[in-house]
Amino acid sequence: LVCFPLSGFESLWNRYNTCLFVNIVSFSPQDNAQVCITGNGFFKLFKYSEGTLKQMNLQKGEPQNYLCHAWLSKEEVICGTDTGKLFLFETGKLHWETSITYFLIILIIAGYSLISFLSSLCMDNSSQKDSLTQISAVAAYSKGFACSSSPGVVLLFEKTKEKEVYKESQEIWLPQDLFSSEPKKSGRQDIICICFSPSEETMVINTNKNQLYMFTMLSTDLTKVGKAAYFAYLNFPLHSAPITGMDICVWKPILATCSLDRSVRIWNYKTNTLELYKEYQEEAYTVSLHPTGLFCLVGFSDKLRFISLLHEDMHVFKEFSVRKCRECSFSNRGHLFAVVNGNVIQIYSSITFENINNLKGHSGKIHAVKWSTDDAKFVSCDTHGAVYEWNLLTGKRESECVLKSCIYSSIALSSDAKIIFAVGSDQTLKEISDSSIQLEVSAFGVVYTAVAVSHSGHMVFVGTSLGTIRAMKYPLPLTRDFNEYQAHAGAVTKMSVTNDDLFLLTASEDGSIFIWKVYDKGDGILKWEKEVEYAEEVLIMRADIEEKSQAMLDLQIRVKELQTENDYQLRLKDMYCNEKIKELEENFTQEIGSLKTKYQILQAEKEKQELQHQFQLSELMNKQAREVQQLESDSNQKILMENEKYQELQVKSQRMQEEYEKQLHNLEESKSKAVRELTEYYEEKLNEKSVLLKETEEDMRRQLQAHEEIKKQIEEDEDREILEIKIKYERRLSEEKASNLQLEGEIGVMNKRLNSLQEELKERNRNIEEMRLEQQKLQGIIKSLENYIFALKTEIQARTNAIQDKEKHIYDLKKKNQELEKFIFVLDYRIEEFKKQRELRENDIKTMKEQICEMEGELERFHRESTQLKLNITQLQQKLKATNSKMHRERQKKQNMETFIKRFKTDLHNCVGFIQDSRKMKGGIRELYRKYVNQSDLVSQGLYRDLQQEYMRQREYLERNLAALKKKVVKDQKIHQAAYMHIVQENVSLIKEINDLRQERKVAHTQVHDLQSTLRLTKKKQAIQDTAVLRLNAEKESENIIEMQQLEIQYLRDQIQEKGQILAVQPLLPLIFHTKNCPYLRPDVSVIPSRYSVTD
């Protein structure tokens, strides 16, 4: 545990303990010297004083895994554990604890059913099960604290005066995202962090899926106790996984992104809003927007989809069978689009969706594709260091630049398509033109992952693996002459500059999108020559328009109906209000009269009370005058006393002033005397010091003279010594020159060796650099190969397991073969027996054929009965048509009556409108009586009699027909049931015998085949083949007979079902034969007269 000051890098204090795993550390907001540390198995409070940490508490009780904590006050700390418990510590001692549990009621309030909740629990892994009960986040506010106890919920606790120090007051749940493919899981995210605004008006939380939610705390006072509240998105839902694709369009200020979270989103970079959002079942790898902004291409793991961007939805218009498409792009004019399918680039028409051209030549994975502004050229790069420029008219490569030591990740084109900018794994930015690298700019220790060029061509933007953005001017600088901005937490995956060069858009592996405004250092924000006008058109489905228009028509009709109702209600209310006003006027006139009488009575009482008050006032005035006189006399006496005291004090003050003046005079005299004495003392000391100075100057002169004499003597001695040394060293020099001549020859040889060694060293350094670059490339290749090896190992393991299983199977087969060889000799004897039995079986087949002929006769009888039933059905259909025509007449009469009633209602409504005018009202009622009452009585009486008679006749006729039909149906049912039972029994017996014959034939055939292969008995082979042919012919005949029977039975069954539907009689119950009674049928299969299941 180390503490650093904000002003420097040297630590204030540190503590080490290798046995503890710390989860969270925090300072007390009220006292910055207190520190709280929690982790797995411990809770500790420390006090910082005199440069050391001193522990303030002693832990008691069972150790807990504390995941989070928060300071509630200077002495109180709340902690949450992984078992769903809350502990409140006061001055380091446990003061209160509680465990959070949930019941079915809470789950229903939150919008989850019990079945879905339990199923989600079963599907989740163990880590998610643990997270259901653990306290993952805690935050304090003025009323109490908030904590997250399970996925998707935050509980608010408020302080109480009861034994339970804190009590749960509110539950806040995450909302279900209706646009998500799994809305229930979107509401069950793990909450990582909770924080409150300084004013405590809003609470913001962060989840494990990178989503931000907010909740207004003012709404907690308005919501009822026990009612669950819900969070809302802070702005809009964000990506929760790395962004793999991004693109912009010309007509609209929008950009499209796709991510590994299986979502496609449309953003507006002008208003900073999310316009469209949809989740799919597969992961999305790339996205491209049509220049109009009305369509987009999305490459999923299973297919490439052409999607229409509707007003409120995304509609898949066309699908292409391109799996795992990593790159796709629309041309600048929108009439073509390019798709990467493996190592081939396919060019499609956006209008006819035909495959126009296939660009082949890449050997590695294609990482990026770009169109020129006129759509005549096309540029692509891959992982094997190849950058190709294609001519779309011929479909051939125009130029290429291959650098196998580099894995390219992104490319960009200048506006004239003459210069290609490429970045890759070799930590450089390359400028390519005329099939060669013209310039390489170092990245200074980082890897460039994305590149973009402004349309003006003056700026180049580069994204790095560290998430930073670098902006550099063109021509590219060779030094660190660029501006670097820290943006993302992961590598930048995609970059794009808008057509007006005002915005730079970047996406990253951390799931975030940044919108940058491009400024010029001198002039501020860049200004485009012409203001861009964006299109406002959107697509909408015809069905949606029809639904909305129908809804509008319905609403208009409803509005008209409501207007008429409101007018009628207003009229009634006006009438009611007028009556109320009259009643109130009468009541008010009565009340005014009564109030006038009360006023007169009160006026008389007021006069009496005024007289009483005047009398009381006069008495009070007299009393006050007496009291004032007495107070004046008392105050005069007090003033005289105080005046005497003042004069005495004035005399005392004069005396004191005189004494102080005398003392001041004496002090000034003593001070002047002391000053004089001090000046005299210090002057004497100065004189003494000046005398001493003169003496020391004379001593210095004497010492200087002596020093000069000693100096001269030393110089003479040194000159002598120098001459001696010179002679000595001249001799040595001559000797050294001779030796130097010898050494020069040796040095020449050594220099040659040294030069050769230096050249070797340079070559080695070059080789080392090349090896280092190759090592980086190989490391990337090794990682990919390791993944490939791991997949191969798993496949090998699966294949080895399969091989072992097959070897075991082969071993078992070999054992069986040995056993079969033993039975060969036994089977020879049994073959002869089977030949005898075959003759007996042939006789049985003849008898079965006779039985089948009898069954055909019965089938003919069934045909006759069915024709009779058809005649009955046609008669009943004619009767039914007659009844339908009568019903149609009755319905017409009913409609006429309804129109008659509607007319009466409208006339009545018009008559009610004259309710204020009695004459018109009376005339209207007479007109209604004349128009409707007389006619309706005559018509209704005649109609009613006719209807009643016709109804009785039809009822008697139908009852008679129904009784006759019921009797016929019962008879036919008994006849058919008996016939079917007879046929079923005969068929079952035949099927049993056929199955027995087939099994015996198969056993004999296998045994004969084994004998032929082992003993090679040619003579027996011919005999067995003859018998097999005979058996097969008999077998085919029996099978043909059975098929014919089944077809006839099926035809009869269909006829009976049709008749049963027409007569509205319950169908015959099928007869079910279980496997106990029929051992050759499949288990749990019902056998009905029309269908049989026969096992071989």
Side-chain angles (χ1 to χ4, degrees):
L1 183 68
V2 184
C3 178
F4 292 95
L6 293 174
S7 58
F9 296 101
E10 294 181 357
S11 62
L12 295 176
W13 43 261
N14 53 17
R15 290 174 69 92
Y16 300 97
N17 192 341
T18 57
C19 297
L20 300 177
F21 296 96
V22 178
N23 286 331
I24 189 167
V25 180
S26 67
F27 283 94
S28 171
Q30 289 82 15
D31 185 4
N32 59 5
Q34 286 189 12
V35 182
C36 178
I37 304 167
T38 56
N40 191 356
F42 67 92
F43 167 80
K44 293 188 178 183
L45 289 172
F46 291 95
K47 182 89 173 178
Y48 176 67
S49 63
E50 299 176 359
T52 58
L53 278 178
K54 295 179 182 178
Q55 189 169 345
M56 296 169 60
N57 69 320
L58 293 172
Q59 192 169 351
K60 295 179 182 180
E62 294 181 2
Q64 302 283 339
N65 184 8
Y66 299 103
L67 299 178
C68 54
H69 71 257
W71 292 83
L72 300 179
S73 64
K74 189 177 180 181
E75 297 176 348
E76 291 182 344
V77 180
I78 189 77
C79 298
T81 68
D82 61 346
T83 57
K85 290 186 178 181
L86 288 169
F87 293 91
L88 179 66
F89 294 94
E90 189 171 351
T91 62
K93 295 179 182 178
L94 182 62
H95 181 61
W96 172 74
E97 69 173 288
T98 185
S99 61
I100 297 168
T101 55
Y102 292 96
F103 301 100
L104 178 62
I105 299 162
I106 298 171
L107 293 172
I108 291 165
I109 289 167
Y112 301 108
S113 66
L114 182 62
I115 296 162
S116 63
F117 183 74
L118 292 172
S119 63
S120 63
L121 283 178
C122 295
M123 291 298 288
D124 290 345
N125 55 18
S126 60
S127 63
Q128 288 175 339
K129 286 179 183 176
D130 295 337
S131 66
L132 285 174
T133 55
Q134 64 185 11
I135 310 294
S136 58
V138 174
Y141 69 109
S142 59
K143 293 182 180 179
F145 65 91
C147 70
S148 173
S149 59
S150 65
V153 63
V154 172
L155 304 179
L156 295 180
F157 285 81
E158 292 186 0
K159 199 165 187 178
T160 60
K161 295 179 181 179
E162 300 173 2
K163 290 181 180 179
E164 292 184 0
V165 181
Y166 289 91
K167 192 174 182 181
E168 183 187 339
S169 62
Q170 185 73 23
E171 295 167 4
I172 310 164
W173 293 81
L174 289 179
Q176 291 186 4
D177 191 358
L178 300 176
F179 293 99
S180 175
S181 59
E182 295 177 343
K184 289 182 180 177
K185 285 191 177 180
S186 65
R188 296 186 63 251
Q189 303 176 39
D190 290 331
I191 295 164
I192 298 168
C193 179
I194 305 171
C195 63
F196 292 90
S197 63
S199 61
E200 294 185 354
E201 290 180 358
T202 56
M203 173 173 59
V204 178
I205 62 167
N206 181 24
T207 67
N208 62 337
K209 290 188 177 179
N210 299 338
Q211 301 299 324
L212 293 171
Y213 294 90
M214 67 170 289
F215 180 75
T216 53
M217 296 297 290
L218 297 173
S219 61
T220 56
D221 300 330
L222 302 173
T223 54
K224 296 178 181 178
V225 179
K227 188 177 180 182
Y230 291 92
F231 285 99
Y233 282 108
L234 186 62
N235 287 317
F236 32 71
L238 306 170
H239 283 294
S240 60
I243 295 169
T244 55
M246 183 181 74
D247 196 18
I248 59 173
C249 69
V250 181
W251 283 26
K252 295 182 180 182
I254 59 172
L255 71 146
T257 58
C258 64
S259 172
L260 295 179
D261 60 3
R262 302 176 180 179
S263 68
V264 179
R265 299 166 197 251
I266 307 297
W267 313 80
N268 191 318
Y269 57 81
K270 284 279 188 182
T271 58
N272 297 331
T273 55
L274 179 65
E275 291 195 349
L276 273 178
Y277 157 52
K278 191 169 184 179
E279 282 194 9
Y280 294 88
Q281 296 297 325
E282 297 83 19
E283 291 181 347
Y285 297 123
T286 181
V287 67
S288 179
L289 268 177
H290 194 268
T292 59
L294 302 175
F295 309 99
C296 73
L297 273 173
V298 184
F300 293 96
S301 58
D302 60 343
K303 287 181 182 178
L304 176 76
R305 290 176 172 87
F306 190 92
I307 297 172
S308 301
L309 302 178
L310 305 179
H311 178 53
E312 293 176 346
D313 194 12
M314 297 183 188
H315 176 67
V316 177
F317 182 74
K318 181 78 174 174
E319 290 185 346
F320 302 90
S321 58
V322 180
R323 290 176 61 82
K324 294 185 178 179
C325 177
R326 299 283 178 176
E327 284 295 328
C328 64
S329 178
F330 276 103
S331 62
N332 292 311
R333 294 176 185 174
H335 63 293
L336 300 173
F337 62 88
V339 177
V340 174
N341 189 357
N343 297 335
V344 180
I345 302 169
Q346 297 176 340
I347 308 297
Y348 288 87
S349 171
S350 301
I351 299 161
T352 61
F353 300 111
E354 291 179 357
N355 188 359
I356 297 168
N357 208 339
N358 291 327
L359 308 178
K360 298 178 182 179
H362 282 284
S363 59
K365 289 182 179 178
I366 299 167
H367 270 185
V369 293
K370 290 290 178 185
W371 294 82
S372 62
T373 51
D374 58 355
D375 294 338
K377 293 181 181 179
F378 188 77
V379 181
S380 60
C381 68
D382 63 11
T383 56
H384 288 179
V387 177
Y388 295 153
E389 185 177 344
W390 308 84
N391 190 334
L392 293 178
L393 297 174
T394 60
K396 295 180 180 179
R397 286 200 297 256
E398 280 194 349
S399 64
E400 61 180 33
C401 179
V402 181
L403 183 64
K404 291 185 178 180
S405 61
C406 178
I407 300 170
Y408 287 113
S409 58
S410 179
I411 56 172
L413 271 174
S414 61
S415 56
D416 56 359
K418 291 182 179 178
I419 300 170
I420 303 168
F421 298 93
V423 294
S425 61
D426 60 350
Q427 299 183 1
T428 58
L429 169 63
K430 296 176 179 61
E431 183 181 338
I432 301 168
S433 64
D434 299 330
S435 301
S436 62
I437 299 169
Q438 302 294 329
L439 182 64
E440 285 190 17
V441 179
S442 175
F444 301 101
V446 297
V447 177
Y448 287 147
T449 56
V451 64
V453 183
S454 64
H455 292 82
S456 62
H458 299 310
M459 293 296 294
V460 178
F461 303 98
V462 186
T464 68
S465 58
L466 302 177
T468 57
I469 307 297
R470 292 181 179 180
M472 53 187 76
K473 291 184 178 180
Y474 185 79
L476 298 174
L478 296 173
T479 59
R480 296 176 69 95
D481 188 11
F482 52 77
N483 296 323
E484 189 167 10
Y485 306 95
Q486 183 63 48
H488 301 280
V492 178
T493 55
K494 297 289 177 182
M495 294 180 72
S496 187
V497 180
T498 57
N499 292 301
D500 54 4
D501 285 345
L502 295 179
F503 296 97
L504 171 69
L505 312 171
T506 60
S508 171
E509 288 180 357
D510 61 0
S512 63
I513 303 161
F514 274 68
I515 301 169
W516 306 80
K517 277 189 179 178
V518 181
Y519 286 88
D520 192 0
K521 283 187 176 179
D523 302 331
I525 192 165
L526 295 172
K527 290 184 180 179
W528 197 246
E529 293 178 358
K530 294 180 180 179
E531 289 187 3
V532 181
E533 294 182 359
Y534 293 109
E536 297 293 333
E537 291 84 2
V538 292
L539 293 177
I540 190 164
M541 299 289 284
R542 189 183 294 276
D544 295 340
I545 293 170
E546 288 173 356
E547 283 179 8
K548 286 182 180 179
S549 60
Q550 186 62 40
M552 285 174 69
L553 288 170
D554 294 339
L555 289 169
Q556 285 174 358
I557 292 162
R558 180 66 180 156
V559 165
K560 287 178 181 178
E561 290 175 357
L562 289 169
Q563 281 178 352
T564 54
E565 286 180 7
N566 286 331
D567 292 338
Y568 179 66
Q569 291 291 331
L570 283 169
R571 286 177 185 174
L572 292 175
K573 281 181 181 178
D574 289 337
M575 292 168 64
Y576 177 74
C577 289
N578 290 327
E579 290 175 358
K580 278 280 182 185
I581 287 162
K582 287 177 182 178
E583 289 178 2
L584 289 169
E585 282 178 353
E586 290 174 358
N587 291 329
F588 280 129
T589 50
Q590 290 175 1
E591 287 179 0
I592 286 162
S594 62
L595 286 169
K596 280 181 179 178
T597 54
K598 282 182 182 178
Y599 176 73
Q600 289 173 359
I601 293 161
L602 290 168
Q603 191 73 25
E605 288 179 356
K606 181 188 172 187
E607 288 174 355
K608 288 179 184 177
Q609 285 179 358
E610 280 179 352
L611 293 169
Q612 287 177 359
H613 283 303
Q614 285 176 359
F615 180 72
Q616 288 174 358
L617 247 171
S618 60
E619 287 180 354
L620 286 168
M621 290 290 285
N622 293 326
K623 266 187 185 180
Q624 191 179 4
R626 290 173 203 152
E627 287 175 357
V628 167
Q629 286 176 0
Q630 194 172 357
L631 285 167
E632 282 179 354
S633 62
D634 293 337
S635 61
N636 287 327
Q637 288 176 2
K638 284 181 181 178
I639 287 164
L640 290 169
M641 294 284 287
E642 293 294 329
N643 195 6
E644 289 174 358
K645 286 181 182 179
Y646 174 72
Q647 287 175 358
E648 288 176 359
L649 289 168
Q650 198 170 6
V651 172
K652 281 183 182 179
S653 66
Q654 286 176 358
R655 289 174 190 168
M656 292 284 285
Q657 194 171 0
E658 289 173 357
E659 287 176 359
Y660 283 127
E661 284 176 355
K662 287 178 183 177
Q663 286 177 2
L664 278 167
H665 185 68
N666 294 329
L667 286 168
E668 283 177 355
E669 288 178 353
S670 62
K671 183 182 175 183
S672 60
K673 286 178 183 178
V675 168
R676 286 171 194 165
E677 289 174 356
L678 285 167
T679 50
E680 289 173 357
Y681 174 71
Y682 282 113
E683 282 175 357
E684 288 175 359
K685 276 194 173 184
L686 270 170
N687 293 325
E688 290 175 359
K689 293 287 181 186
S690 61
V691 172
L692 284 169
L693 260 171
K694 288 176 182 178
E695 289 176 356
T696 51
E697 283 176 357
E698 288 176 358
D699 291 333
M700 283 288 289
R701 286 172 190 168
R702 291 171 196 159
Q703 287 176 3
L704 281 168
Q705 289 174 0
H707 178 69
E708 286 177 356
E709 289 176 357
I710 292 162
K711 187 180 176 183
K712 286 177 182 177
Q713 290 175 0
I714 289 165
E715 285 177 354
E716 290 174 356
D717 293 335
E718 283 178 352
D719 291 334
R720 287 172 196 162
E721 287 177 358
I722 286 162
L723 288 168
E724 290 173 358
I725 290 163
K726 188 179 179 183
I727 294 160
K728 185 179 177 183
Y729 279 105
E730 280 177 354
R731 289 173 189 166
R732 283 188 185 178
L733 228 164
S734 59
E735 291 173 357
E736 289 291 332
K737 279 180 180 178
S739 64
N740 278 335
L741 290 169
Q742 292 175 357
L743 290 168
E744 278 177 1
E746 293 176 0
I747 286 163
V749 175
M750 294 296 288
N751 282 329
K752 289 177 182 176
R753 287 184 184 176
L754 200 141
N755 290 326
S756 63
L757 287 168
Q758 283 178 351
E759 288 174 358
E760 287 177 3
L761 274 169
K762 287 178 182 178
E763 287 177 1
R764 285 185 182 178
N765 287 329
R766 288 172 193 163
N767 292 329
I768 287 162
E769 287 179 359
E770 288 175 359
M771 292 293 284
R772 185 171 59 77
L773 292 170
E774 285 179 4
Q775 186 184 2
Q776 289 177 356
K777 294 170 195 169
L778 289 168
Q779 280 176 354
I781 294 162
I782 285 161
K783 285 179 182 177
S784 62
L785 288 171
E786 281 176 354
N787 295 327
Y788 184 63
I789 287 160
F790 181 72
L792 287 173
K793 281 181 180 177
T794 53
E795 192 175 351
I796 287 160
Q797 186 66 31
R799 287 186 180 180
T800 51
N801 293 331
I803 288 160
Q804 287 175 1
D805 294 335
K806 286 179 181 178
E807 285 176 352
K808 287 178 183 177
H809 187 60
I810 288 160
Y811 180 70
D812 295 335
L813 288 171
K814 283 179 180 178
K815 279 187 176 180
K816 287 179 181 178
N817 283 329
Q818 289 173 2
E819 290 174 358
L820 288 168
E821 285 174 358
K822 291 176 184 177
F823 289 117
I824 285 167
F825 298 104
V826 178
L827 290 170
D828 289 331
Y829 176 74
R830 294 199 58 187
I831 284 164
E832 293 176 358
E833 291 181 354
F834 284 132
K835 286 178 182 179
K836 294 175 184 177
Q837 289 177 3
R838 189 185 67 186
E839 294 174 356
L840 297 171
R841 296 292 181 186
E842 285 175 355
N843 295 325
D844 293 334
I845 287 163
K846 286 178 182 178
T847 56
M848 286 177 187
K849 283 180 180 178
E850 291 173 358
Q851 289 177 359
I852 287 161
C853 291
E854 291 175 0
M855 289 171 72
E856 285 177 354
E858 289 180 0
L859 282 169
E860 287 177 0
R861 185 167 55 79
F862 283 128
H863 277 302
R864 291 187 203 119
E865 291 176 358
S866 64
T867 51
Q868 185 63 34
L869 288 169
K870 282 180 182 177
L871 291 170
N872 293 333
I873 287 159
T874 51
Q875 289 175 1
L876 290 168
Q877 283 176 349
Q878 288 172 358
K879 290 175 182 177
L880 204 141
K881 282 179 183 177
T883 53
N884 284 331
S885 62
K886 287 178 182 178
M887 284 289 290
H888 183 68
R889 287 178 210 148
E890 292 299 326
R891 282 176 185 169
Q892 189 65 37
K893 287 177 183 178
K894 184 186 171 187
Q895 286 177 359
N896 293 332
M897 288 301 291
E898 284 177 354
T899 53
F900 186 80
I901 289 159
K902 281 183 181 177
R903 287 175 191 167
F904 178 72
K905 282 182 178 179
T906 52
D907 292 338
L908 183 66
H909 183 71
N910 294 328
C911 185
V912 169
F914 304 120
I915 200 164
Q916 300 293 332
D917 194 349
S918 60
R919 289 180 182 177
K920 288 182 180 179
M921 184 78 175
K922 189 175 180 181
I925 290 164
R926 281 178 180 173
E927 184 66 26
L928 283 172
Y929 183 78
R930 183 183 60 77
K931 189 175 180 181
Y932 292 105
V933 175
N934 296 328
Q935 291 178 4
S936 63
D937 285 343
L938 296 169
V939 173
S940 62
Q941 285 174 5
L943 284 169
Y944 182 76
R945 288 170 190 164
D946 294 336
L947 285 169
Q948 198 168 11
Q949 288 174 1
E950 186 64 27
Y951 173 76
M952 291 301 291
R953 269 189 271 115
Q954 290 291 334
R955 185 175 177 180
E956 288 172 0
Y957 175 76
L958 289 170
E959 282 175 354
R960 273 188 262 110
N961 284 335
L962 194 124
L965 287 170
K966 280 182 179 179
K967 288 176 183 178
K968 276 187 181 181
V969 166
V970 170
K971 286 179 182 177
D972 291 334
Q973 190 173 358
K974 287 177 182 178
I975 292 161
H976 286 301
Q977 195 167 2
Y980 278 134
M981 285 296 290
H982 181 65
I983 291 164
V984 166
Q985 287 171 2
E986 287 179 352
N987 280 334
V988 168
S989 62
L990 287 169
I991 287 162
K992 282 182 182 179
E993 290 174 359
I994 289 161
N995 284 330
D996 292 336
L997 288 168
R998 283 181 178 175
Q999 284 184 351
E1000 289 172 0
R1001 185 187 63 79
K1002 280 193 175 181
V1003 172
H1005 187 70
T1006 53
Q1007 289 171 355
V1008 169
H1009 184 71
D1010 292 333
L1011 288 170
Q1012 286 172 359
S1013 61
T1014 52
L1015 300 175
R1016 298 179 181 177
L1017 301 173
T1018 55
K1019 291 180 181 180
K1020 290 183 180 179
K1021 185 176 179 181
Q1022 188 66 35
I1024 290 162
Q1025 283 178 353
D1026 295 334
T1027 57
V1029 169
L1030 290 168
R1031 282 173 181 270
L1032 286 167
N1033 291 329
E1035 220 175 11
K1036 285 179 180 178
E1037 286 176 3
S1038 62
E1039 285 177 356
N1040 289 327
I1041 291 161
I1042 290 160
E1043 285 176 1
M1044 289 291 289
Q1045 287 179 356
Q1046 287 179 352
L1047 289 168
E1048 289 295 329
I1049 290 162
Q1050 182 67 31
Y1051 175 77
L1052 289 168
R1053 183 170 173 269
D1054 294 335
Q1055 292 293 325
I1056 289 158
Q1057 283 181 353
E1058 288 175 4
K1059 290 170 186 177
Q1061 287 173 0
I1062 294 163
L1063 296 172
V1065 179
Q1066 291 184 351
L1068 295 174
L1069 293 171
L1071 297 170
I1072 298 171
F1073 291 85
H1074 292 287
T1075 55
K1076 290 180 182 178
N1077 298 325
C1078 187
Y1080 295 103
L1081 297 177
R1082 293 178 186 171
D1084 298 327
V1085 176
S1086 62
V1087 180
I1088 60 175
S1090 62
R1091 188 174 180 180
Y1092 303 98
S1093 63
V1094 182
T1095 57
D1096 292 332

